[in-house]
Amino acid sequence: EAQVTQNPRYLITVTGKKLTVTCSQNMNHEYMSWYRQDPGLGLRQIYYSMNVEVTDKGDVPEGYKVSRKEKRNFPLILESPSPNQTSLYFCASLSGANVLTFGAGSRLTVL
Amino acid sequence: LAKTTQPISMDSYEGQEVNITCSHNNIATNDYITWYQQFPSQGPRFIIQGYKTKVTNEVASLFIPADRKSSTLSLPRVSLSDTAVYYCLVGAIKTGANNLFFGTGTRLTVIP
């Protein structure tokens, strides 16, 4: 089944403790992206990647890092999480038909 | 970079047709217009996509005028299960697909 898989789905952590949210897609898509969703603000893009080793900032990149060493994986890294990064995070990949497929989401709480 | 503007919310009674319009004044020649539906705590999912004129599938229709600066998602005879947030997204891999902006979306509430 074609899908985007994110892990963990839920995470509670403390300020400053580094964490990584993994994202993997099995559709051989070149484009992948991370979004965060907060009440009243819709989906805001954090980082995107056009292909392996090619990443760029989205709307709200501060406090996040990404890497794209292989086509299928696009992890989101929070080096020193802060409470304002408490949010629902979505990873997505884009098909050649310009359709985004989203993961199920990762709900992160930073205390 | 094409950004979009939609109404924040809409209410409709069951069985009615709902039309949600999205403005995208800076749409590029190669950009497609895609609509997504999102239920609480789930990722958005694809509903329909078009480039120009009208597109219809089993769940919705999409109307795009000749200038392509707006688009209208039409949901026929909505039911309670259509209560969700609807997003329009403009972009395409051919134009670089960079910064695919979702905006705040339209929260549709279907009333019994």
Side-chain angles (χ1 to χ4, degrees), chain A residues 26-67:
Chain A
N26 62 0
M27 297 166 281
N28 203 37
H29 291 166
E30 293 182 347
Y31 180 100
M32 297 184 73
S33 182
W34 275 101
Y35 297 87
R36 63 176 287 175
Q37 187 168 42
D38 304 290
L41 297 177
L43 286 153
R44 294 182 292 169
Q45 192 180 53
I46 303 170
Y47 269 94
Y48 64 95
S49 170
M50 297 291 291
N51 212 328
V52 175
E53 301 293 358
V54 181
T55 64
D56 210 342
K57 297 177 181 179
D59 253 354
V60 289
E62 294 78 21
Y64 305 94
K65 287 175 58 177
V66 292
S67 69

Side-chain angles (χ1 to χ4, degrees), chain A residues 57-98:
Chain A
K57 297 177 181 179
D59 253 354
V60 289
E62 294 78 21
Y64 305 94
K65 287 175 58 177
V66 292
S67 69
R68 189 87 184 277
K69 293 184 173 60
E70 328 163 77
K71 186 180 279 191
R72 64 181 292 122
N73 295 322
F74 190 44
L76 179 70
I77 304 156
L78 286 72
E79 293 272 2
S80 182
S82 62
N84 64 12
Q85 292 178 298
T86 292
S87 187
L88 179 58
Y89 292 87
F90 290 101
C91 180
S93 67
L94 184 72
S95 73
N98 302 299

Side-chain angles (χ1 to χ4, degrees), chain B residues 7-73:
Chain B
I8 293 175
S9 64
M10 297 179 69
D11 294 338
S12 176
Y13 287 102
E14 270 190 299
Q16 290 190 329
E17 178 184 76
V18 170
N19 295 309
I20 306 174
T21 297
C22 179
S23 296
H24 27 80
N25 291 319
N26 296 323
I27 188 168
T29 301
N30 291 323
D31 283 347
Y32 282 78
I33 300 159
T34 311
W35 284 79
Y36 294 84
Q37 176 191 55
Q38 187 183 28
F39 298 113
S41 297
Q42 295 184 25
R45 66 176 189 177
F46 170 83
I47 302 175
I48 195 167
Q49 182 183 79
Y51 182 80
K52 62 181 179 180
T53 64
K54 176 184 174 182
V55 179
T56 297
N57 62 20
E58 62 276 8
V59 297
S61 294
L62 179 59
F63 300 91
I64 304 168
D67 66 6
R68 304 202 325 123
K69 294 186 177 183
S70 67
S71 58
T72 300
L73 173 72

